[in-house]
PDB file of all heavy atoms in Angstrom:
ATOM      1  N   ALA B1263    -207.079 -69.763   7.403  1.00  0.00           N
ATOM      2  CA  ALA B1263    -207.974 -70.232   6.388  1.00  0.00           C
ATOM      3  C   ALA B1263    -209.172 -69.310   6.194  1.00  0.00           C
ATOM      4  O   ALA B1263    -209.586 -69.052   5.067  1.00  0.00           O
ATOM      5  CB  ALA B1263    -208.490 -71.625   6.759  1.00  0.00           C
ATOM      6  N   LEU B1264    -209.586 -68.681   7.277  1.00  0.00           N
ATOM      7  CA  LEU B1264    -210.682 -67.749   7.212  1.00  0.00           C
ATOM      8  C   LEU B1264    -210.297 -66.571   6.371  1.00  0.00           C
ATOM      9  O   LEU B1264    -211.020 -66.172   5.417  1.00  0.00           O
ATOM     10  CB  LEU B1264    -211.098 -67.322   8.615  1.00  0.00           C
ATOM     11  CG  LEU B1264    -212.189 -66.287   8.743  1.00  0.00           C
ATOM     12  CD1 LEU B1264    -213.447 -66.756   8.181  1.00  0.00           C
ATOM     13  CD2 LEU B1264    -212.356 -65.908  10.221  1.00  0.00           C
ATOM     14  N   VAL B1265    -209.109 -65.955   6.638  1.00  0.00           N
ATOM     15  CA  VAL B1265    -208.690 -64.784   5.919  1.00  0.00           C
ATOM     16  C   VAL B1265    -208.370 -65.198   4.475  1.00  0.00           C
ATOM     17  O   VAL B1265    -208.760 -64.492   3.601  1.00  0.00           O
ATOM     18  CB  VAL B1265    -207.415 -64.235   6.612  1.00  0.00           C
ATOM     19  CG1 VAL B1265    -206.860 -63.072   5.809  1.00  0.00           C
ATOM     20  CG2 VAL B1265    -207.794 -63.723   8.020  1.00  0.00           C
ATOM     21  N   GLY B1266    -207.727 -66.409   4.337  1.00  0.00           N
ATOM     22  CA  GLY B1266    -207.336 -66.826   2.954  1.00  0.00           C
ATOM     23  C   GLY B1266    -208.600 -66.996   2.133  1.00  0.00           C
ATOM     24  O   GLY B1266    -208.654 -66.595   0.946  1.00  0.00           O
ATOM     25  N   ALA B1267    -209.674 -67.520   2.761  1.00  0.00           N
ATOM     26  CA  ALA B1267    -210.897 -67.766   2.011  1.00  0.00           C
ATOM     27  C   ALA B1267    -211.540 -66.428   1.538  1.00  0.00           C
ATOM     28  O   ALA B1267    -211.993 -66.327   0.432  1.00  0.00           O
ATOM     29  CB  ALA B1267    -211.932 -68.530   2.927  1.00  0.00           C
ATOM     30  N   PHE B1268    -211.495 -65.463   2.424  1.00  0.00           N
ATOM     31  CA  PHE B1268    -212.002 -64.163   2.070  1.00  0.00           C
ATOM     32  C   PHE B1268    -211.251 -63.613   0.885  1.00  0.00           C
ATOM     33  O   PHE B1268    -211.821 -63.032  -0.075  1.00  0.00           O
ATOM     34  CB  PHE B1268    -211.939 -63.275   3.309  1.00  0.00           C
ATOM     35  CG  PHE B1268    -212.684 -62.010   3.177  1.00  0.00           C
ATOM     36  CD1 PHE B1268    -214.074 -61.958   3.352  1.00  0.00           C
ATOM     37  CD2 PHE B1268    -212.057 -60.814   2.861  1.00  0.00           C
ATOM     38  CE1 PHE B1268    -214.820 -60.799   3.164  1.00  0.00           C
ATOM     39  CE2 PHE B1268    -212.769 -59.605   2.710  1.00  0.00           C
ATOM     40  CZ  PHE B1268    -214.127 -59.631   2.886  1.00  0.00           C
ATOM     41  N   VAL B1269    -209.910 -63.650   0.982  1.00  0.00           N
ATOM     42  CA  VAL B1269    -209.111 -63.122  -0.115  1.00  0.00           C
ATOM     43  C   VAL B1269    -209.425 -63.818  -1.442  1.00  0.00           C
ATOM     44  O   VAL B1269    -209.669 -63.211  -2.486  1.00  0.00           O
ATOM     45  CB  VAL B1269    -207.637 -63.213   0.202  1.00  0.00           C
ATOM     46  CG1 VAL B1269    -206.773 -62.800  -1.008  1.00  0.00           C
ATOM     47  CG2 VAL B1269    -207.273 -62.370   1.429  1.00  0.00           C
ATOM     48  N   ILE B1270    -209.439 -65.121  -1.400  1.00  0.00           N
ATOM     49  CA  ILE B1270    -209.678 -65.952  -2.603  1.00  0.00           C
ATOM     50  C   ILE B1270    -211.104 -65.666  -3.140  1.00  0.00           C
ATOM     51  O   ILE B1270    -211.250 -65.454  -4.368  1.00  0.00           O
ATOM     52  CB  ILE B1270    -209.559 -67.440  -2.344  1.00  0.00           C
ATOM     53  CG1 ILE B1270    -208.110 -67.816  -1.929  1.00  0.00           C
ATOM     54  CG2 ILE B1270    -210.003 -68.291  -3.466  1.00  0.00           C
ATOM     55  CD1 ILE B1270    -207.153 -67.742  -3.034  1.00  0.00           C
ATOM     56  N   GLY B1271    -212.075 -65.601  -2.260  1.00  0.00           N
ATOM     57  CA  GLY B1271    -213.447 -65.413  -2.706  1.00  0.00           C
ATOM     58  C   GLY B1271    -213.614 -64.093  -3.368  1.00  0.00           C
ATOM     59  O   GLY B1271    -214.120 -63.965  -4.549  1.00  0.00           O
ATOM     60  N   VAL B1272    -213.140 -62.979  -2.702  1.00  0.00           N
ATOM     61  CA  VAL B1272    -213.263 -61.636  -3.330  1.00  0.00           C
ATOM     62  C   VAL B1272    -212.460 -61.514  -4.604  1.00  0.00           C
ATOM     63  O   VAL B1272    -212.946 -61.042  -5.605  1.00  0.00           O
ATOM     64  CB  VAL B1272    -212.914 -60.564  -2.319  1.00  0.00           C
ATOM     65  CG1 VAL B1272    -212.830 -59.206  -2.976  1.00  0.00           C
ATOM     66  CG2 VAL B1272    -213.843 -60.562  -1.137  1.00  0.00           C
ATOM     67  N   ALA B1273    -211.203 -62.013  -4.543  1.00  0.00           N
ATOM     68  CA  ALA B1273    -210.351 -61.853  -5.713  1.00  0.00           C
ATOM     69  C   ALA B1273    -210.898 -62.556  -6.899  1.00  0.00           C
ATOM     70  O   ALA B1273    -210.960 -61.966  -8.032  1.00  0.00           O
ATOM     71  CB  ALA B1273    -208.884 -62.319  -5.376  1.00  0.00           C
TER      72      ALA B1273
END
Side-chain angles (χ1 to χ4, degrees):
Chain B
L1264 176 62
V1265 174
F1268 191 77
V1269 172
I1270 295 287
V1272 171

